[in-house]
Amino acid sequence: MSSQSSVKKPVTVVIVGAGHRSLIYASYAKQHPEEMKIVGVVDPDAERRALTRERFEFSEECCFSDIEEFVSKPKMADAVINGTMDHLHVSTSIPLLKAGYDMMLEKPIGVSADEVLHLHEEAERYGRKVMICHVLRYAPFYSSIRQQIIDGAIGDIISITTEENVTYHHMGMAYVRGKWGRLDKGGSSMLMAKSCHDLDVVAWMKGDVRPVKVSSFGGLLQFRPENAPEGAGKRCLVDCAIEQSCPYSARKNYIEQRKWRAYVNYNTHLGVVMTDEELEESLRNDSPYGRCVWHCDNDVVDHQTVIVEFADGSVGTHVMTGGSSKPGRTIHIIGTKGEIQGEMEEGTYVIRRPDARKGSVYSEQKIELGVKSDMHGGGDLLLVADFVKVMYGAAPSISSTSLEKSLHGHLIGFGADQSRLEQRTIALT
């Protein structure tokens, strides 16, 4: 924020859906209380409401169990953070827009193209600011590359190839055992729940050039009952003969390695502490995260490839694979004057240009960003900072994830899922 903004009142915000992602964005208020203040919560879970109120120190009168109760009261804040589940995004957002609230909306915008376009119409109708939480645009890795494209560093884009490798422990937690493992529970396909960030990056790199056609291939290949190794049981800590050697062991991942505790332990993100012994008991008995990854009720894909053609004839490809050993997002953009290639988690990329001088083939420039090993490349709170600036009336950054600028990536994703299911190329309107 500029020094000028420091004399202004903080932007007041209500959390709608006090989940893990909402609380990450809301943590900006703790770090920058002069810029943002959390003043209320809407959540059906009484414990989450109480814990959120305790963390941000607002009154019990500012806690609401549902949207209807909240919007029936006089407007009490400038904006909301909507972190509800995917299938609730649009149905909860429209009453909030109508009630006068600007919004940060967790991705994906909705669960169908019609839903997303309807929300866009409603936001325009009510004149509200809606920023989609496409945090990768704010990661220094991607925002720096976007600036290079704008500056013409590699000429006009010919092709963009991105890759997201979802580690075995992340895949098992979220998209096999977890609430995004089934379309009817999570509301979104795995492509839209996990890689709508990446599809957004592909569309964003192309600026105003519209995607026109998409094809996609993939499916559920690995995490199926018939692929269970010999000796695998139904629950890791109950009847599995191979638990000690299995990389998907619930004990290894969630107790020994302490991975994904904020998801596996209910309300950990709000300060609730569960001992290892309590977690082991839960994993043994009732926790969905204690199930064998080959014997769950999951139905979303574990791998998918998307190919998109843009109006200028350029193409983009995204490859998502679940179950990799190493996590990582990569990008390779080839233009008419050079290319850019890098891996987000390494915090670096290179710019290459043809060099036909004797003894040379190309020149190479390495760009160091200074951000490594961050799941979203440092973008989470940079997005919130930009939202606050926009609320103060400042011009949005080049990373702006306004609703109207986030449509193309979503339309690519919905078209890709339709293409995969119908086994045909889809024309995007």
Side-chain angles (χ1 to χ4, degrees), residues 273-285:
V273 177
M274 180 182 283
T275 66
D276 287 352
E277 292 73 23
E278 289 171 333
L279 177 56
E280 181 168 346
E281 183 67 16
S282 175
L283 292 170
R284 187 182 301 278
N285 293 304

Side-chain angles (χ1 to χ4, degrees), residues 61 81 83 95 106 255 296 312 329 379:
E61 290 72 29
I81 297 172
E106 180 57 45
I255 298 176
C296 289
D312 62 358
R329 279 184 159 107

